Amino acid sequence: MQADIDASLTSLPAAEARVGRWILAHPRETLRASVRALATAAGTSEPTVIRFCRRLGLPGYRELKLRLAADLSRPASAMHRDVEATDTLSDAVGKVLDQSIAALIELRDDSATLPFAAAVDALAAARQVVFVGEGASGRVAEDVWHKFFRLGRPSVYATDGPTIRQLAAVCTPADVLVAISHSGESTTSIAAASLGRARGATTIAVSKRGSPLIEAVDIGFACSADEDTSVFTPMSSRLTQLAVFDALHVALALALGESAETALRQSKAALTGSRLPSVE
């Protein structure tokens, strides 16, 4: 991708050439930049950035970032893709934090296009919510379960393949199955989504845009951070997943109204030793 951009510079209009030169000078920053941020940095407009992408034969900016990410896919460090062996401690810390912040900003920019309303409707009506994920995504599934059952929604979670598949196989049309996977290529998560859907359950996924898992569910949150899962510490994608579920948790609580508020108060009282209200 970088070679293609470099070769095109002499034939591009001045404004588009500025976009190309900025990308070549800041390839990793480009992966984290929105169209608006790139246009501002290059001293041009958002339509010019899109025209530049199409001049390279790409449908849009997202495809350019995917191609650029492939160029940069070999990690410089086993710890973090942006950290170099020669970085100072403060530089390394700053790079890790910058990537996480950039991932959350990109999520915020994309939030208006994510299917929060459809997911809230399904979760509010669910008999039971099943959260599934493996590896790092399994830790997210467990964390999310801790949040959602406190709203008074019957919930379970699973992080191992056999249990995930069995829970999916006994879903009913009244259930919601939520699959979590950064890559979206987990065969277990895809199988669970397919099983749950075949049983009539509403299926939701939080995963990478265009992944097999997103294609296998009813409601897809395609919002993963750009991150190489072969690196030892994939963190930005996990923060993005957790942020999506935090927002979804709050949105569901608002939709449930007083019943959710009562459930949250009761769960808090159970921990503090406060007296629980009697049920008549």
Side-chain angles (χ1 to χ4, degrees), residues 46-258:
E46 293 178 47
T48 299
V49 173
I50 301 303
R51 284 196 298 272
F52 168 80
C53 296
R54 291 176 179 165
R55 191 89 62 176
L56 295 173
L58 302 172
Y61 182 53
R62 187 169 299 277
E63 288 73 21
L64 182 141
K65 292 208 291 184
L66 289 173
R67 292 280 300 276
L68 188 59
D71 278 1
L72 303 171
S73 61
R74 185 179 298 277
S77 162
M79 292 290 104
H80 196 279
R81 67 182 298 165
D82 288 340
V83 176
E84 307 283 347
T86 55
D87 284 339
T88 65
L89 176 60
S90 61
D91 285 343
V93 170
K95 285 182 177 182
V96 173
L97 295 177
D98 283 347
Q99 186 182 46
S100 295
I101 292 167
L104 293 174
I105 290 173
E106 184 171 358
L107 172 63
R108 183 195 62 192
D109 291 343
D110 290 343
S111 61
T113 65
L114 297 176
F116 282 102
V120 168
D121 287 345
L123 292 166
R127 177 190 72 94
Q128 176 180 252
V129 185
V130 180
F131 297 100
V132 301
E134 293 183 294
S137 294
R139 305 288 75 77
V140 175
E142 182 179 2
D143 181 90
V144 171
W145 167 76
H146 273 286
K147 290 180 172 66
F148 277 75
F149 84 77
R150 291 187 173 94
L151 294 179
R153 298 289 88 186
S155 305
V156 296
Y157 77 94
T159 59
D160 66 278
T163 305
I164 288 172
R165 290 171 186 263
Q166 289 177 84
L167 279 174
V170 297
C171 279
T172 75
D175 296 330
V176 172
L177 184 142
V178 182
I180 306 161
S181 170
H182 167 64
S183 69
E185 297 175 0
S186 163
T187 55
T188 297
S189 295
I190 295 167
S194 298
L195 280 169
R197 205 172 187 182
R199 294 281 299 166
T202 300
T203 52
I204 299 173
V206 177
S207 188
K208 183 180 291 185
R209 191 180 309 275
S211 67
L213 181 57
I214 287 292
E215 300 301 322
V217 299
D218 301 302
I219 302 169
F221 285 80
C223 56
S224 290
D226 176 47
E227 190 167 48
D228 185 353
T229 53
S230 68
V231 177
F232 184 67
T233 53
M235 180 56 69
S236 297
S237 57
R238 194 183 309 183
L239 290 173
T240 301
Q241 291 168 345
L242 289 169
V244 168
F245 284 113
D246 276 352
L248 196 53
H249 179 262
V250 171
L252 178 59
L254 291 172
L256 294 174
E258 190 172 340

Side-chain angles (χ1 to χ4, degrees), residues 2 19 21-39 41-42 61 64-65 68-69 72 81-82 84 94-95 98-99 101-103 105-106 226:
Q2 289 167 292
V19 174
R21 283 192 291 271
W22 194 91
I23 291 172
L24 291 176
H26 309 87
R28 294 197 183 279
E29 290 88 338
T30 302
L31 296 181
R32 302 190 294 268
S34 65
V35 174
R36 182 185 305 170
L38 175 55
Y61 182 53
L64 182 141
K65 292 208 291 184
L68 188 59
L72 303 171
R81 67 182 298 165
D82 288 340
E84 307 283 347
K95 285 182 177 182
D98 283 347
Q99 186 182 46
I101 292 167
I105 290 173
E106 184 171 358
D226 176 47

